[in-house]
C-alpha cells in the first residue's frame, strides 16, 4: 500500500524485514551463507545452494566445510573441524578471529580442492566474513566470490 512505500526502514517490523531480506537474498547472484558461533550453517541463499549443488536440507545446521564440499573431510574421513587440515583452514581461522572480535571483518582469498557431487574442483575463492548480532546471538555472514575454478 502507499503508506508502506513511504516508510523508513526503522518503521518496518521484524517480520517485514526478514521477508525483505529473504526476497532479496534469494534473487541476487552473490553467494552467501550465515553461520552461528559453532560454525554451523543457519541460512543460505539460492545462488550458494546452486553453486555447491546441494539442497537446503544437506546444508542447514551442517558445518561450513560440509556445506562447501571441503575435500579434506574425505581425505581424512573425519568431520569438518576434526581433520588434520582444519588447523590450517583460512576460513576457520578467520571465523574465529571475527567471532573473538580480533577482526572487525575478514577479507581473504584461498585456493582449495572442493568435492562437488562426485567431481573434485580446485576453486579460487574470495571471502568476506562480517559479524552479525541477531536476537542476542552471534552469527557471521560469509560472502563468497569464485575468482577462478578448474577441475582438480
Amino acid at each position: 500500500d502507499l503508506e508502506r512505500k513511504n516508510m523508513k526502514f526503522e518503521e518496518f517490523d521484524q517480520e517485514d524485514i526478514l521477508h525483505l531480506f529473504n526476497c532479496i537474498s534469494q534473487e541476487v547472484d552473490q553467494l552467501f551463507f550465515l553461520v552461528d558461533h559453532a560454525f554451523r550453517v543457519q541460512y543460505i541463499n539460492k545462488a550458494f545452494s546452486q553453486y555447491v549443488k546441494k539442497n537446503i536440507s544437506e546444508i542447514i545446521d551442517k558445518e561450513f566445510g560440509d556445506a562447501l564440499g571441503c575435500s579434506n573431510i574425505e581425505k581424512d574421513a573425519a568431520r569438518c573441524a576434526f581433520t588434520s587440515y582444519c588447523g590450517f583452514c583460512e576460513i576457520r581461522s578467520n571465523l574465529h578471529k571475527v567471532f573473538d572480535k580480533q577482526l572487525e571483518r575478514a577479507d581473504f582469498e584461498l585456493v582449495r580442492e572442493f568435492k562437488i557431487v562426485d567431481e573434485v574442483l580446485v576453486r579460487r575463492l574470495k571471502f568476506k566474513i562480517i559479524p552479525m548480532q541477531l536476537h542476542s546471538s552471534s552469527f557471521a555472514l560469509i560472502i563468497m566470490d569464485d575468482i577462478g575454478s578448474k577441475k582438480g
Side-chain angles (χ1 to χ4, degrees):
D1 66 334
L2 188 57
E3 272 185 47
R4 207 74 163 154
K5 290 180 184 176
N6 294 321
M7 291 178 71
K8 294 179 185 173
F9 191 71
E10 302 86 40
E11 295 171 346
F12 284 94
D13 64 26
Q14 186 172 356
E15 188 175 315
D16 288 336
I17 292 170
L18 290 172
H19 178 72
L20 176 65
F21 174 78
N22 194 48
C23 288
I24 293 169
S25 71
Q26 295 306 322
E27 294 303 321
V28 296
D29 293 332
Q30 182 75 55
L31 307 168
F32 68 85
F33 59 103
L34 188 74
V35 297
D36 62 17
H37 203 273
F39 302 169
R40 292 189 169 281
V41 178
Q42 299 302 314
Y43 182 86
I44 61 169
N45 71 340
K46 184 168 58 176
F48 180 81
S49 177
Q50 292 169 342
Y51 184 74
V52 297
K53 296 185 170 129
K54 294 179 182 178
N55 63 46
I56 193 167
S57 65
E58 297 172 286
I59 299 172
I60 296 299
D61 211 31
K62 304 287 191 284
E63 289 272 349
F64 71 89
D66 295 318
L68 286 167
C70 176
S71 65
N72 294 330
I73 293 168
E74 197 166 295
K75 286 177 188 172
D76 269 13
R79 294 187 0 249
C80 178
F82 297 99
T83 76
S84 60
Y85 302 93
C86 293
F88 307 102
C89 176
E90 299 96 331
I91 305 167
R92 181 169 294 284
S93 171
N94 280 290
L95 278 168
H96 277 294
K97 289 175 184 173
V98 167
F99 276 117
D100 295 343
K101 297 182 178 20
Q102 294 171 9
L103 289 176
E104 193 172 300
R105 64 186 287 159
D107 292 278
F108 61 99
E109 293 181 15
L110 67 80
V111 177
R112 184 178 302 159
E113 288 183 348
F114 294 92
K115 186 171 182 185
I116 306 300
V117 187
D118 290 325
E119 186 174 33
V120 175
L121 300 172
V122 177
R123 289 188 159 168
R124 185 171 175 220
L125 301 169
K126 185 174 183 173
F127 286 87
K128 286 183 186 172
I129 300 176
I130 302 163
M132 302 180 79
Q133 281 296 124
L134 301 168
H135 301 295
S136 71
S137 296
S138 296
F139 295 90
L141 179 65
I142 301 174
I143 302 169
M144 295 172 31
D145 282 311
D146 187 323
I147 53 177
S149 292
K150 60 185 178 184
K151 291 186 179 185

